[in-house]
Amino acid sequence: MSQKFDVIIVGGGMGGMALALALARRGRSVAVVERQARPRPFARGELLQPNGLRILNQLGLLEALKKLPSYLAYEYHFHRIEGGRLCTVDYRVLPPPWNYTLILTPYYLLNLLFQKLEQTELVHLFTETDFSELLRQNGRVVGIRAVRMARSIELFSPVVVGSDGAHSQVREAMGIQSEVYNYPEAYLTMIIPRPKGFHRDARYYLGQGEILGLFPVSAEKLYLFYMIRTAELERIRKGPLDSMLNAIGRIDRALREPLETVASWNEVGVMPCVRVRAKRWTADGAALIGDAAHAMNPHVAQGRNQALEDAVTLAEVLDHAFQKGNFSEEGLRPYETQRRRRVENLQRQADEMALFWNTGLIPLTWLRNRVFKRLDRNDRLRYKMLALIAGESSERFTWMDRVKAAGILPV
Ligand SMILES: Cc1cc2nc3c(=O)[nH]c(=O)nc-3n(C[C@H](O)[C@H](O)[C@H](O)COP(=O)(O)OP(=O)(O)OC[C@H]3O[C@@H](n4cnc5c(N)ncnc54)[C@H](O)[C@@H]3O)c2cc1C
């Protein structure tokens, strides 16, 4: 079997499906090749930032999304595990209407997109289909070979987009040199009933090498994430579930009762954290988006939002490529040029946060707590940090900002 499309997208996650929708709205025929049969529920939550919300609105999805279980959060409260508030960040200081976050189980968003694509005539969903290789003619990518129900299929298009996640096979097939870094920390994730009295918005607890996050994901449910050392994952999972739940309940007593609803390890998700730095995101007849191009540490909560930004930017660049009939690396490069600096800024910011937030070293913990407290008192610095993480600015902290935040110079 072989078929022709305007664009083939490998990977039907957030980035791939958003790109398919954006392209179909521009009148392009799209094949989405996805390994899974359809999105599956998973015990985790995620945060959509103002930049992602703006794009979902453009794609006509935001209002439908808000009708699904989700939680509109303005405030994020940071506390020391040992006790005491460190800082409160309030999104309401950002320019409206994009001055809030939406927290939800990503399944609802993925399923909404999937249903939308199922109803879109120009989109052909090849589910339960595994990408195997890129097809080339005179060195240029012209299609893919994939396996569907134990059968090999060939699909052709002038451009193939790799949206197949951090461990992208398309990236490898494009021959792009890349660095894939596995962070030493991962997260255990759970969805539990929202405890009585949990009326304040999202909450982070930071300790010495310990992080607990609590995000409401609906009126009744709370998403909980607890940092562990990846190297200890096997030992922890072989041990009794109770000792891990007790460690969490020790941080916030209000969680003890809702944690009793977690009956087995099957209800606990494991999320490793990966960073990808790819030398290029484009080739002759091919491009990478989302985690395939630039997975980042989750502390900035931007991975999914950046995949959305990639999707709308690439859709626009592909419009020009179709007009000019130019799908060469040079023709696709404006996509990378528009996106790379912003993404690299976020990757660096995320790594800096991982260094200070995850640390088990007393001097770094002390410095981190001090910076949080100073940010709490300094509207300018807090705004600058928030605008970057909210995706509303690409301006990182300067050295002078850092020195001021650390309290070495007066603000
Ligand atoms: C702990 C943690 C917390 C996070 N929290 C947030 C947050 O709050 N906000 C945020 O914006 N981001 C967050 N992220 C990041 C976010 O989850 C990712 O950036 C996002 O899922 C990337 O989307 P994607 O579409 O690029 O890739 P993916 O979601 O990885 O999708 C890739 C798709 O490709 C498919 N696929 C893979 N290989 C093949 C193949 N060979 N053939 C066919 N299909 C294939 C997969 O089945 C999958 O559907 C977090 C990440 C972690 C680890």
Side-chain angles (χ1 to χ4, degrees):
M1 172 192 165
S2 85
Q3 288 184 52
K4 283 187 177 164
F5 299 89
D6 288 332
V7 181
I8 298 168
I9 300 169
V10 178
M14 167 88 248
M17 288 201 283
L19 176 62
L21 188 60
L23 288 167
R25 283 163 66 111
R26 288 163 188 264
R28 303 286 165 209
S29 65
V30 189
V32 178
V33 173
E34 168 56 44
R35 181 179 275 165
Q36 308 286 344
R38 49 187 315 125
R40 286 186 306 199
F42 183 70
R44 64 173 287 202
E46 247 178 38
L47 203 161
L48 287 169
Q49 300 276 8
N51 58 329
L53 295 170
R54 182 185 288 117
I55 294 171
L56 289 170
N57 190 49
Q58 265 172 36
L59 293 175
L61 294 169
L62 188 57
E63 288 317 308
L65 192 61
K66 281 185 181 170
K67 291 192 183 109
L68 296 170
S70 61
Y71 187 82
L72 198 150
Y74 294 105
E75 290 179 26
Y76 287 77
H77 302 276
F78 294 84
H79 298 268
R80 289 175 69 219
I81 284 185
E82 302 76 26
R85 193 181 68 85
L86 288 169
C87 183
T88 296
V89 172
D90 189 340
Y91 277 70
R92 277 170 291 218
V93 299
L94 294 171
W98 309 113
N99 57 351
Y100 64 94
T101 60
L102 201 64
I103 314 176
L104 76 172
T105 316
Y107 164 72
Y108 289 114
L109 173 55
L110 295 174
N111 203 41
L112 179 70
L113 262 165
F114 190 84
Q115 286 171 346
K116 188 98 182 164
L117 294 186
E118 278 182 315
Q119 296 154 8
T120 308
E121 230 170 79
L122 285 168
V123 177
H124 192 125
L125 290 167
F126 290 86
T127 52
E128 295 179 89
T129 307
D130 234 291
F131 166 82
S132 27
E133 62 177 310
L134 290 173
L135 301 174
R136 289 188 168 85
Q137 243 169 35
N138 304 325
R140 169 187 296 264
V141 175
V142 293
I144 67 160
R145 185 167 292 128
V147 177
R148 189 179 208 203
M149 294 171 197
R151 283 211 172 149
S152 178
I153 58 168
E154 288 185 349
L155 306 176
F156 292 92
S157 69
V159 61
V160 172
V161 179
S163 178
D164 51 340
H167 302 285
S168 169
Q169 280 174 258
V170 176
R171 185 179 66 228
E172 207 180 309
M174 283 164 78
I176 292 179
Q177 211 183 320
S178 52
E179 176 206 287
V180 179
Y181 173 69
N182 295 299
Y183 289 93
E185 299 89 13
Y187 289 89
L188 297 178
T189 62
M190 282 163 253
I191 303 283
I192 58 169
R194 229 164 110 186
K196 288 186 200 94
F198 196 98
H199 53 277
R200 299 299 298 271
D201 290 325
R203 206 179 286 176
Y204 271 97
Y205 288 99
L206 301 168
Q208 219 171 300
E210 199 173 13
I211 296 179
L212 172 68
L214 304 171
F215 290 4
V217 276
S218 69
E220 302 87 25
K221 301 279 180 189
L222 193 70
Y223 162 49
L224 177 157
F225 53 95
Y226 185 58
M227 190 177 80
I228 53 154
R229 306 278 305 167
T230 317
E232 288 177 21
L233 177 62
E234 278 313 301
R235 184 189 60 76
I236 293 172
R237 280 186 65 112
K238 277 190 188 137
L241 177 64
D242 278 356
S243 57
M244 195 268 293
L245 298 179
N246 288 340
I248 295 171
R250 171 184 58 80
I251 297 172
D252 188 331
R253 285 165 164 268
L255 298 173
R256 288 185 184 172
E257 208 180 305
L259 280 170
E260 284 171 13
T261 62
V262 183
S264 80
W265 279 110
N266 294 336
E267 292 168 47
V268 180
V270 178
M271 295 196 56
C273 300
V274 181
R275 184 190 63 219
V276 171
R277 285 193 182 131
K279 191 109 183 150
R280 290 177 289 125
W281 300 354
T282 53
D284 286 339
L288 297 171
I289 65 167
D291 277 11
H294 51 62
M296 58 185 69
N297 189 282
H299 276 323
V300 281
Q302 269 290 344
R304 213 171 275 280
N305 299 275
Q306 289 306 304
L308 281 169
E309 286 198 14
D310 288 347
V312 289
T313 310
L314 184 59
E316 212 174 291
V317 169
L318 284 176
D319 247 2
H320 295 285
F322 275 103
Q323 276 161 26
K324 293 185 179 155
N326 180 4
F327 302 97
S328 65
E329 182 176 0
E330 200 193 352
L332 301 177
R333 198 174 299 137
Y335 151 65
E336 181 172 339
T337 313
Q338 286 177 55
R339 298 283 304 126
R340 190 178 265 281
R341 189 173 161 265
R342 180 165 166 78
V343 161
E344 286 181 350
N345 268 344
L346 281 165
Q347 283 186 317
R348 277 196 287 269
Q349 183 62 49
D351 280 350
E352 207 169 287
M353 287 160 80
L355 174 71
F356 285 99
W357 291 22
N358 301 0
T359 186
L361 299 174
I362 292 170
L364 287 188
T365 314
W366 176 85
L367 185 60
R368 175 198 68 202
N369 293 348
R370 184 176 165 91
V371 168
F372 264 115
K373 282 184 185 160
R374 288 185 73 89
L375 287 181
D376 196 50
R377 291 198 299 268
N378 188 294
D379 292 347
R380 185 188 72 81
L381 289 178
R382 200 172 61 254
Y383 186 92
K384 195 167 177 180
M385 178 62 76
L386 173 63
L388 178 71
I389 290 167
E392 295 298 89
S393 151
S394 288
E395 217 188 317
R396 292 188 65 219
F397 263 33
T398 60
W399 278 108
M400 191 53 85
D401 289 335
R402 286 193 182 86
V403 166
K404 286 180 176 172
I408 298 164
L409 277 181
V411 283

